[in-house]
Amino acid sequence: MAVGILALVGLSGCSGQWARFGLPEPASEQAPHIGNLWVGFWIAALVVGALVWGLIGWAVIRYRNKGDEHAAPRQTKYHLPLEILYTLVPFLIIGVLFLYTVRAADAVLDQSQEPDVTVDVIGQKWSWTFSYHGADDPAIGVDAHNVGTLEKIPDLYLPVNQRVRFNLESADVIHSFWVPAFYFKMDVIPGHPNSFDVTPNKVGVFDGKCAELCGEMHAAMIFKVHVVEEAEYEAYVKQLAADGNEGLKVMPQTTKHVLPESNSKEG
Ligand SMILES: [Cu+2]
């Protein structure tokens, strides 16, 4: 226990990635929900670990073999209160962790507010397609899309401090849309559209990845997230449209059309 508390004091005293137990700097309004959960789990695990290691160490030293047979500890069997304690305490710990997990999940999956910006994401072997709903925004007035390829890693532009809704669809296999700095990823499943909201709150360029081992070129499914001021975002979408990428890229309603013919026929 003492070791755990000491570790906590040490950690709270130092800043940066160590204090976040390895997480990158958070870049969205929703990220702290997951960040706090992650740090809380580590602290709970360290406290339990310190207690167990402490008891093991104490027993090893206290009851080490001194060549005296009578030095062995008292042997306890069928001690009902102790066994009930062993059973209840882990359930209590799991219950508390579960409660905080559900709360964090509810917070990051909340879509009760209307988004400021909507971006459709299609995961396709082996890149991403981003479609910006700009037509209903008077400052933009046009929809535009950006298709990534193996040769050209796609850019994703997002306005800072605006609620962004991502609609995720897959053209082929299961991918996973992941921006580590947002502490969030969601599976991109063929025939099963997914959606989540995020509010980037830090201007900068962040890495995006596919977090599902989707096939041979999985590692190539990376993208760059540019969180920019609103005016720059509007200018980007307008420019995309002007460069011949007007409109939204939409998926056919059923993935049966997407799979190659040979896959749907009896082989
Ligand atoms: Cu993928």
Side-chain angles (χ1 to χ4, degrees):
M1 186 74 89
V3 180
I5 291 166
L6 270 180
L8 291 187
V9 173
L11 281 168
S12 57
C14 76
S15 58
Q17 208 153 11
W18 283 101
R20 292 190 299 268
F21 288 93
L23 285 178
E25 230 178 280
S28 81
E29 230 167 63
Q30 290 82 357
H33 292 293
I34 299 295
N36 293 340
L37 191 69
W38 171 251
V39 171
F41 265 61
W42 268 102
I43 290 172
L46 282 175
V47 168
V48 172
L51 181 71
V52 172
W53 296 322
L55 285 172
I56 291 173
W58 173 77
V60 165
I61 293 164
R62 171 73 179 73
Y63 294 105
R64 68 190 185 279
N65 190 348
K66 292 173 233 156
D68 175 4
E69 265 180 52
H70 303 293
R74 185 162 54 88
Q75 301 299 298
T76 308
K77 280 184 198 165
Y78 305 111
H79 192 293
L80 198 59
L82 203 59
E83 295 197 5
I84 289 174
L85 188 79
Y86 285 163
T87 312
L88 285 184
V89 168
F91 272 105
L92 198 72
I93 296 171
I94 292 168
V96 170
L97 296 180
F98 182 71
L99 176 78
Y100 282 105
T101 304
V102 170
R103 278 192 190 170
D106 284 349
V108 296
L109 294 173
D110 176 39
Q111 291 195 304
S112 57
Q113 284 178 58
E114 275 301 303
D116 303 305
V117 168
T118 301
V119 180
D120 296 342
V121 175
I122 296 174
Q124 78 265 1
K125 294 191 278 187
W126 311 98
S127 193
W128 302 91
T129 295
F130 304 118
S131 293
Y132 302 87
H133 290 242
D136 15 296
D137 183 341
I140 300 173
V142 67
D143 294 331
H145 64 267
N146 178 17
V147 183
T149 63
L150 268 180
E151 289 72 37
K152 195 181 176 308
I153 294 166
D155 292 300
L156 171 63
Y157 275 71
L158 303 174
V160 71
N161 296 326
Q162 306 255 328
R163 194 175 184 85
V164 182
R165 177 155 301 167
F166 287 111
N167 296 319
L168 312 174
E169 288 192 86
S170 170
D172 34 54
V173 297
I174 301 178
H175 302 281
S176 186
F177 181 76
W178 182 30
V179 181
F182 294 165
Y183 296 2
F184 196 80
K185 63 183 175 203
M186 190 176 260
D187 275 9
V188 183
I189 304 168
H192 179 94
N194 270 341
S195 181
F196 72 96
D197 291 4
V198 74
T199 311
N201 61 2
K202 210 163 272 172
V203 169
V205 181
F206 306 93
D207 289 329
K209 299 163 196 272
C210 177
E212 180 74 41
L213 182 55
C214 53
E216 200 186 352
M217 300 300 284
H218 157 70
M221 288 190 67
I222 50 178
F223 54 99
K224 283 280 175 211
V225 184
H226 303 256
V227 177
V228 295
E229 297 299 338
E230 194 178 357
E232 195 181 339
Y233 167 78
E234 291 161 0
Y236 171 79
V237 177
K238 276 195 262 189
Q239 191 58 49
L240 253 190
D243 290 345
N245 303 299
E246 197 177 327
L248 305 171
K249 279 275 172 192
V250 281
M251 283 287 304
Q253 280 313 296
T254 161
T255 53
K256 277 183 193 138
H257 302 301
V258 177
L259 291 170
E261 276 290 295
S262 58
N263 282 11
S264 53
K265 278 184 188 151
E266 183 63 29

